[in-house]
Each structure stands twice: as structure tokens, then as C-alpha cells.
Amino acid sequence: MRWALVRVCLAVTTMVVVAFAVPLGLVVKEMARDRAFSNAEREAAALVPALSITTDQEQLERVVASAESDAGMAVHIPAADGRPAVDLGRQRAADTDIATVRKLGRASTTEVPGGSTLLQPVALSTGAMAVVEVYVPEAEVSNGVGTAWAVLAAVGAALVVGSVAVADRLGVRMVQPAQRLVEGAHELGEGKLGARVPEEGPTELRLAAVAFNSMADQVVQLLANERELAADLSHRLRTPLTVLRLNAASLGDSPAAEQTRAAVEQLEREVDTIIRTAREAKPQTAAAGPGAGCDAAEVVRQRMEFWSALAEDEGRKWRVAGVDRPVRIPVARADLAAALDALLGNVFRHTPEGTAFAVDVHSGEDAVIVLVSDAGPGIADPEAAMARGRGSGSDGSTGLGLDIVRRLAESTGGDVRIGSSVLGGTEVRLWLQRDGRRPAGRGHRTAVRRRRPGRLVSTFNRPRSHP
């Protein structure tokens, strides 16, 4: 395509240059000839006044000598009134040509060796017809023509070369984006999901590149969503698995109980394997618009109704506070429920039976904080726990629990932090921005109106119904 465009441009430009340069060169040649003979006519006209006054040879010689050009001039006066014919200067034209001009009385040009001559008839006072001969050499006729033709040729060549260069650049500008689009399509087809095409070139190719990149992003997002869905669903299975494991622990030491516990452990390992396989999932929760999202207080109450049954079975005291009025947050109900299940599941999984825990909701003008704390042994290395929450699961943990919580917080511009709780164990703080856009900073603590401990709604050992 590129070379085809160059060839077409070369042919068209050559035709245009020839169509204009050849006639222009002929015009230049004709103008140079006209200029030379115009000069010769002026020189001949300079002798007319002298010839009309006198025919004296000496006087005419002086006039011719003073008016003679470098090319040469001659005067031919016929014999009249007993006077002989007079020829002044060097004659180059043939006698027949001179006689013809004298007879016809019209100026004429004739070719002579080395150039041309202008024969100009002049009427004398005696009634005879003299002829003035002006020699015009060939060099004068073609004076400047060669230079003009060279300039025209140079301009034509420059136009051809320039058009070829421009066509080549245009071809490259058109062909390279198309080649990159083809290469990107091949790479994407080979499974290289990071393949993208620069959005440059002509408008059509640029739009094609934008569409290709958008398609590639959609493919990546679809694959990520599939992996995330697999990981999320698998992790949500851990909640009922925890219930099964706790119930299996109370079955005693019978063979059936051992088989049940072994089956539960194997199922947990399989679920962990699925979660690890789908570790590359990206956050699916997006900031919701005004009025969208869910009521965090309602979700906390519902999830605590579920976990309170397990807490009663294990003799755990629990408390929930800050859920006495609606608390709107810009996240989906299912996502917040999954995050709470992940945090509470960690409490049941990693703390001894009988360990108390609490869930507190603190609402501010621009942010909401959900605190999940326990009275367990705490986390020796919070940084390592957060690292597991970023995909480095280890020590029997997939890390997806904290990863779900972290992605939920970051989708609103918030964050997750692990510290020590007032109960003596671990406290996980989930910070959620209400507008879903502003990033959380170090100074965000001042934006939250924390309730005083005395105003928390205590529900230790309370039945499953909550305010």
C-alpha cells in the first residue's frame, strides 16, 4: 500500500511537471528570441533619422560606427542620381535577401552562419530604399534560455522528489497504524491480554485503534470478573463450611464424626485451592451514584443475626453498636455482606472458642468506619496480614478475606487497617468514603464523629433480634 501510493504520486507529479515545464520552457525561449530582435530593431531605428537627412558616405560611416553594436551592423544604399551604391559595415545577408526586402519594403529576418540578421528597409530623401542590416548572433537569441531551463528542471525535480517524500510519509502514517493494529490483533489472539495499539494516524485508523483497545479492555475485564466471581463465590462457601466444621467438632469421637470432619477439611482445602487459582481478580465494586448503595447498619444487623447463632454455640460474647439508625454507603449490599463475613469468619477461625468480639459502626459526614474487634491473642505481624490481603496468602490462609475487604474499601477511596482493639485482641478498621471518590488521608480521623463508649448500644449475650 505504501509503495503503491508512492508510485501513484510519482506518476501524477511527473505528469504535472512535464505539462507545465515544457510549455514554459518554450515560452522562455520565444521570449529570449523576441528580446534579441527587439534590440536589433531599436538599433536599426537609430539610423533612420540619419538616413533620411543625408546619404553622404563619411557621415553615415560615423553614424554607423557610433551606433554599431557588438554583433555588427551594416547599411546598404542603392545607386541613385549618378551616385554609386554604398555598403557600410560587414554584410552577412545574401544579396537576394537584401534585394527582396528593398523591393517589398518590409522588414525581414534571415538565417546566416552563426545567427540571424534583421533587414530593415528605410526610405531615403531621394526616393530610393536603403536597407539596414543588424546581425543577431545565436548566443544572444538563446541568452538566459539555458539558465531558465535549468531552473525549471531543478524545480521540477524538486517537486517530484518532494512529492515522493511526502507520499512516503503519508504512506508510513497510514500503513504503520494499520500494521500495529494487525500486530495487536495477532497478539491478543495469542493470549497476550496486555496488547494495546497506539491511538494515532488518520481518523479512521485512530477510531479503529480506540475500538480495539476498548475491546481488549473489555476482554481483560470479563476474564478478571470471571476469576473474581470464582474466588468470591468460593470464599463465601467458607462461611457455611465454618458452621459445618464447628458442628462437626461437637459430634464426638464416633467414626461417622471423624468422617464428617475429614470431609469438611477436604472441602475446605478444595475451596482454598479454587481461591488461590483465582487470585488475579480485580475489584468489581464501583462507587455508586447518589442514592445508590446500601444501608450499612441494616447489613450489619442481618449478618450479626447469622453469626450470633455460631457465637452462642461457642460461648462467645458479642456486641454490635452504631446500627440504631440508617448509614448509607456507596457500595452494593452483597459486597458489604461478603466483607463482613470475611472479617467475622476470621474471628471464628483464628481465635479460641469463647473469645468475645464486637462490630461497631461510626458514621461521619464524609466517611463511615466499620470496626470488627475481638478479645483474642491478636495478630503478631499486622503488616504480614495486610500483605496476605494483597495476594500473598500463606500459613494456611488464602488472603482473599482481607483482599475482599481491602478492595471494597479502595473502591470508595477508603482503606483498611489492622491494629489493637479495646477488647485486647485484633481490631480491623474498614474505612469507606461516602462520596466514593476522595482518597482517605492521614487526617481523616477528624472527619468522623466517634460515639463515646458509653453511648454504644451493647448487645452482649443478646438474642438474635437487634435494634
Side-chain angles (χ1 to χ4, degrees):
M1 179 179 177
R2 171 184 175 186
W3 295 115
L5 180 62
V6 171
R7 286 193 295 269
V8 170
C9 188
L10 176 61
V12 172
T13 306
T14 302
M15 292 175 61
V16 172
V17 169
V18 171
F20 281 92
V22 171
L24 189 58
L26 296 177
V27 169
V28 169
K29 181 179 179 181
E30 191 63 27
M31 290 177 62
R33 179 180 176 83
D34 291 343
R35 182 180 65 250
F37 280 97
S38 296
N39 293 335
E41 289 176 358
R42 286 196 300 271
E43 292 177 2
L47 294 179
V48 173
L51 291 174
S52 62
I53 295 174
T54 179
T55 58
D56 183 69
Q57 183 173 355
E58 293 182 359
Q59 294 181 1
L60 292 176
E61 285 179 353
R62 288 196 297 269
V63 174
V64 170
S66 63
E68 185 178 5
S69 64
D70 295 337
M73 180 183 293
V75 178
H76 307 287
I77 302 175
D81 299 334
R83 293 183 180 183
V86 178
D87 292 315
L88 303 177
R90 179 183 175 184
Q91 179 181 343
R92 290 180 175 83
D95 293 337
T96 55
D97 295 334
I98 295 174
T100 301
V101 170
R102 183 179 288 120
K103 180 180 179 180
L104 298 176
R106 294 196 304 267
S108 176
T109 59
T110 181
E111 299 292 333
V112 298
S116 304
T117 59
L118 172 66
L119 300 176
Q120 179 70 43
V122 179
L124 301 176
S125 59
T126 59
M129 187 69 69
V131 176
V132 177
E133 177 185 349
V134 180
Y135 173 66
V136 181
E138 186 65 29
E140 187 174 349
V141 173
S142 60
N143 184 28
V145 175
T147 302
W149 283 7
V151 172
L152 288 175
V155 172
L159 288 176
V160 172
V161 173
S163 66
V164 171
V166 172
D168 182 70
R169 291 297 91 196
L170 290 176
V172 170
R173 186 170 178 267
M174 294 179 62
V175 172
Q176 284 186 348
Q179 290 177 341
R180 285 193 289 265
L181 185 60
V182 172
E183 294 172 357
H186 283 305
E187 292 179 357
L188 187 62
E190 293 173 356
K192 300 178 181 178
L193 301 182
R196 296 297 183 272
V197 178
E199 298 172 2
E200 57 187 18
T203 303
E204 293 78 7
L205 292 177
R206 188 165 58 251
L207 293 177
V210 171
F212 176 84
N213 293 337
S214 177
M215 177 194 68
D217 292 338
Q218 290 293 331
V219 171
V220 172
Q221 185 61 40
L222 288 174
L223 293 176
N225 288 342
E226 289 182 3
R227 292 192 296 266
E228 181 180 359
L229 181 61
D232 196 9
L233 292 177
S234 300
H235 191 273
R236 293 187 186 189
L237 289 175
R238 302 192 69 173
T239 299
L241 282 177
T242 301
V243 178
L244 290 176
R245 181 171 57 83
L246 295 176
N247 291 337
S250 62
L251 294 178
D253 298 329
S254 64
E258 292 296 333
Q259 293 177 357
T260 301
R261 284 191 288 269
V264 171
E265 292 177 358
Q266 182 179 0
L267 184 57
E268 281 187 327
R269 288 194 297 271
E270 295 296 333
V271 170
D272 290 344
T273 302
I274 296 175
I275 293 174
R276 290 191 180 95
T277 304
R279 282 304 304 162
E280 297 300 324
K282 293 184 178 181
Q284 195 171 20
T285 302
C294 68
D295 181 0
E298 180 183 1
V299 175
V300 170
R301 289 197 301 268
Q302 291 178 351
R303 298 319 300 159
M304 287 302 296
E305 287 179 3
F306 172 80
W307 288 101
S308 62
L310 299 179
E312 291 176 0
D313 292 340
E314 294 190 356
R316 296 175 182 266
K317 294 182 179 180
W318 57 276
R319 181 193 69 205
V320 62
V323 295
D324 53 341
R325 60 179 180 176
V327 179
R328 300 296 302 183
I329 57 174
V331 298
R333 175 188 297 270
D335 293 332
L336 179 59
L340 288 173
D341 286 342
L343 295 177
L344 294 173
N346 286 340
V347 172
F348 280 80
R349 189 175 299 109
H350 300 296
T351 61
E353 294 185 6
T355 301
F357 67 95
V359 178
D360 300 327
V361 179
H362 301 277
S363 177
E365 294 180 358
D366 60 350
V368 173
I369 291 180
V370 178
L371 297 176
V372 177
S373 54
D374 61 65
I379 298 178
D381 191 351
E383 294 184 359
M386 289 304 300
R388 287 197 298 273
R390 289 181 173 83
S392 60
S394 60
D395 297 333
S397 172
T398 64
L400 188 61
L402 283 177
D403 190 42
I404 292 175
V405 179
R406 178 183 58 81
R407 288 188 287 108
L408 176 70
E410 291 179 351
S411 69
T412 68
D415 63 6
V416 176
R417 297 188 184 181
I418 299 177
S420 299
S421 71
V422 295
L423 300 179
T426 302
E427 177 186 84
V428 180
R429 187 206 64 182
L430 173 61
W431 175 283
L432 302 172
Q433 290 289 116
R434 283 186 180 272
D435 58 7
R437 293 189 304 272
R438 292 195 300 267
R442 292 184 178 274
H444 56 206
R445 291 183 179 273
T446 59
V448 179
R449 297 195 302 269
R450 294 184 177 271
R451 292 180 173 84
R452 294 191 299 272
R455 297 184 62 186
L456 295 178
V457 180
S458 177
T459 56
F460 279 111
N461 292 332
R462 189 171 183 169
R464 297 182 186 181
S465 60
H466 305 286

